[in-house]
Amino acid sequence: MGTAVAAAEMSESLLQQDEVDLEEPILDWKEQITIRGLVVSAVLGALFCIIMHNLSLTVGIVPSFNIAAGLLGFFSIKSWTKLGFSSKPFTRQENTVIQTCVVACYSYAVSVTLKLTDSNTSKLLLEEKKRDEIFLRDKIPLWVAAAGYVCLVAVSMSTMPLIFPPLKWYLVLCSYIIAPALAFCNSYGTGLTDWSLASTYGKIGLFIIASIVGSNGGVLAGLAACGVMMSIVSTAADLMQDFKTGYLTKSSAKSMFVSQIVGTAMGCVIAPLTFWMYWTAFDIGSPDSTYKAPYAVIYREMAILGVEGFSELPQHCLAMCTAFFVAALAINLLRDLTPKNISQYIPIPIAMAVPFYIGAYFAIDMFIGTVILFIWERINRKDAEDYAGAVASGLICGDGIWTIASAIFSIFKLDPPICMDFKPSGNS
């Protein structure tokens, strides 16, 4: 019943939206890419790179930022036009291009899935055909994609062994041969679940390459191969989700593809610069540092495991892992099979596991956010369902933005004053 109501509401919303779209001209793909859009994309790309570094180096878990990128892009261009810097109307296609460019720039986010619900109304079917016509009008030729991938393979095969000597050229080639199939799987899974498993596919490359190379550089080769695999499968999922957004907003596939290339080029410059700010301001990787980079330790241990095998694990470690895996599977099945009024009280295994390796502070933040959402749903469930994602993205962005000021203070050796001091007691 709930699904039918949701489908009816979405169909009605799409019909109302498409009635307005009938009068809206569709710009050529070149006109959808604007100078102001690229400027905003560069600024937001730098901002989100800082946020991504902050999350990656502290909690290791990165949520989806497509909503935040779209909202901030909309706010930025709207402010641009309201202040009189430009009189050109702001379109949804331009906003989609900005979102695609920003996502490509920080390139480590999980895209938000926009789902279309089927409807039996002929008008909606007509509009779906119109979307197909507009979106496929500027489709990218297959030979362009194939040629681009071949060039990327050639560049990687010639440069990566120079940077990572244990990673031979034929291992790089093998990674690129396997990656397209995994990229398809990740894109499909991300579209269904709104959760990218790029890190999981990266681990496949890590274990395989580390075990092949062995003790003579296997750890470094495995980590490098993991990076290659993750970059390919995550970029594929990101672009596919952005294409879905472009389909809904009637944006050109060519403009989105070009903005993806531009965003990637921006990221190649912006991401190292923003990471340098963290590297010079904070003690990156130290167990006692705020930015302890938990995933760096985890991936290194997995690479060592791939080289040395299960025999290097602590006693009973493998048995414990198996037991917890079975327990997590059973709990998840129990949540899926029981009625909602019961399953809502069954804990989520991954949520229980997070605090064990990243610390309690992240769990406390999530708990406070959950309490706020719980109260919000009791007060106004409709608003909570519509805006919870945007509010959560804003809070995460705000927390990440503060790291800019914190990094600047650290670079200039500015310590904030504190009004209390802690000393041992006289009897100790």
Side-chain angles (χ1 to χ4, degrees):
M1 181 65 180
T3 304
V5 172
E9 291 178 351
M10 179 169 285
S11 299
E12 182 181 355
S13 175
L14 285 172
L15 285 172
Q16 294 173 351
Q17 172 185 330
D18 289 327
E19 288 176 356
V20 178
D21 290 346
L22 292 175
E23 304 298 328
E24 180 182 310
I26 304 299
L27 301 176
D28 183 70
W29 72 271
K30 296 178 182 178
E31 296 178 338
Q32 296 176 16
I33 304 175
T34 61
I35 298 297
R36 68 183 182 185
L38 295 179
V39 172
V40 169
S41 298
V43 174
L44 293 181
L47 171 63
F48 279 101
C49 279
I50 293 172
I51 295 172
M52 302 301 284
H53 294 320
N54 179 58
L55 292 176
S56 298
L57 295 172
T58 53
V59 300
I61 295 178
V62 180
S64 172
F65 281 117
N66 283 56
I67 293 178
L71 286 175
L72 289 177
F74 176 82
F75 173 78
S76 301
I77 297 294
K78 277 294 185 181
S79 301
W80 188 305
T81 55
K82 289 291 184 181
L83 293 175
F85 293 109
S86 176
S87 59
K88 185 178 181 180
F90 181 46
T91 64
R92 285 176 293 175
Q93 290 80 24
E94 185 178 4
N95 195 64
T96 303
V97 167
I98 293 173
Q99 177 178 327
T100 304
C101 194
V102 173
V103 170
C105 184
Y106 67 73
S107 70
Y108 200 66
V110 182
S111 301
V112 174
T113 304
L114 296 177
K115 297 180 177 66
L116 280 176
T117 305
D118 292 334
S119 173
N120 292 326
T121 60
S122 59
K123 189 172 183 180
L124 183 57
L125 291 175
L126 179 62
E127 289 301 326
E128 292 298 334
K129 292 180 180 179
K130 183 178 179 181
R131 281 193 171 93
D132 292 340
E133 179 183 352
I134 294 173
F135 193 72
L136 296 177
R137 180 178 60 195
D138 292 329
K139 66 180 181 180
I140 301 163
L142 180 61
W143 69 267
V144 173
Y149 195 74
V150 170
C151 292
L152 185 62
V153 173
V155 172
S156 299
M157 288 174 56
S158 59
T159 57
M160 291 200 68
L162 299 178
I163 303 173
F164 309 104
L167 187 66
K168 305 301 182 183
W169 66 268
Y170 51 86
L171 297 177
V172 177
L173 178 61
C174 291
S175 299
Y176 274 94
I177 292 175
I178 299 173
L182 301 181
F184 172 81
C185 296
N186 190 46
S187 299
Y188 182 78
T190 303
L192 292 177
T193 64
D194 194 23
W195 188 266
S196 175
L197 295 177
S199 60
T200 301
Y201 295 109
K203 294 182 185 76
I204 295 175
L206 185 151
F207 284 120
I208 293 175
I209 301 301
S211 61
I212 292 176
V213 177
S215 58
N216 190 20
V219 173
L220 182 60
L223 292 173
C226 177
V228 171
M229 201 74 72
M230 286 183 62
S231 297
I232 296 174
V233 298
S234 64
T235 300
D238 289 341
L239 186 57
M240 187 60 65
Q241 297 305 94
D242 288 334
F243 276 151
K244 292 179 71 174
T245 305
Y247 176 81
L248 290 174
T249 58
K250 299 180 181 177
S251 303
S252 169
K254 284 185 179 179
S255 67
M256 298 184 66
F257 183 71
V258 172
S259 64
Q260 178 85 4
I261 296 174
V262 173
T264 302
M266 289 181 181
C268 291
V269 177
I270 294 174
L273 292 177
T274 51
F275 183 77
W276 171 84
M277 182 180 69
Y278 276 86
W279 186 261
T280 56
F282 304 109
D283 187 13
I284 303 297
S286 173
D288 299 325
S289 171
T290 303
Y291 302 96
K292 57 178 65 71
Y295 264 45
V297 178
I298 294 173
Y299 276 78
R300 180 179 179 275
E301 295 300 323
M302 287 191 294
I304 294 175
L305 179 63
V307 171
E308 299 181 351
F310 292 128
S311 60
E312 294 300 316
L313 289 173
Q315 190 177 12
H316 306 306
C317 180
L318 188 60
M320 292 176 62
C321 289
T322 304
F324 279 114
F325 172 78
V326 173
L329 183 62
I331 294 174
N332 280 312
L333 285 175
L334 192 62
R335 282 180 54 85
D336 292 339
L337 297 177
T338 54
K340 187 176 181 180
N341 60 339
I342 298 176
S343 63
Q344 62 181 338
Y345 297 106
I346 300 176
I348 302 174
I350 186 63
M352 296 168 56
V354 167
F356 282 91
Y357 66 89
I358 62 176
Y361 59 92
F362 181 71
I364 293 173
D365 290 346
M366 295 299 103
F367 173 75
I368 295 174
T370 302
V371 171
I372 295 174
L373 180 61
F374 178 81
I375 297 173
W376 192 1
E377 288 177 338
R378 294 301 179 272
I379 298 174
N380 192 327
R381 175 174 290 274
K382 181 66 168 59
D383 282 353
E385 292 177 351
D386 291 342
Y387 302 113
V391 173
S393 297
L395 293 174
I396 294 173
C397 288
D399 181 60
I401 292 172
W402 168 248
T403 61
I404 301 175
S406 179
I408 293 174
F409 291 154
S410 298
I411 290 174
F412 291 99
K413 309 300 180 184
L414 298 176
D415 297 322
I418 188 169
C419 300
M420 63 180 68
D421 191 14
F422 300 94
K423 297 181 180 178
S425 61
N427 296 329
S428 61

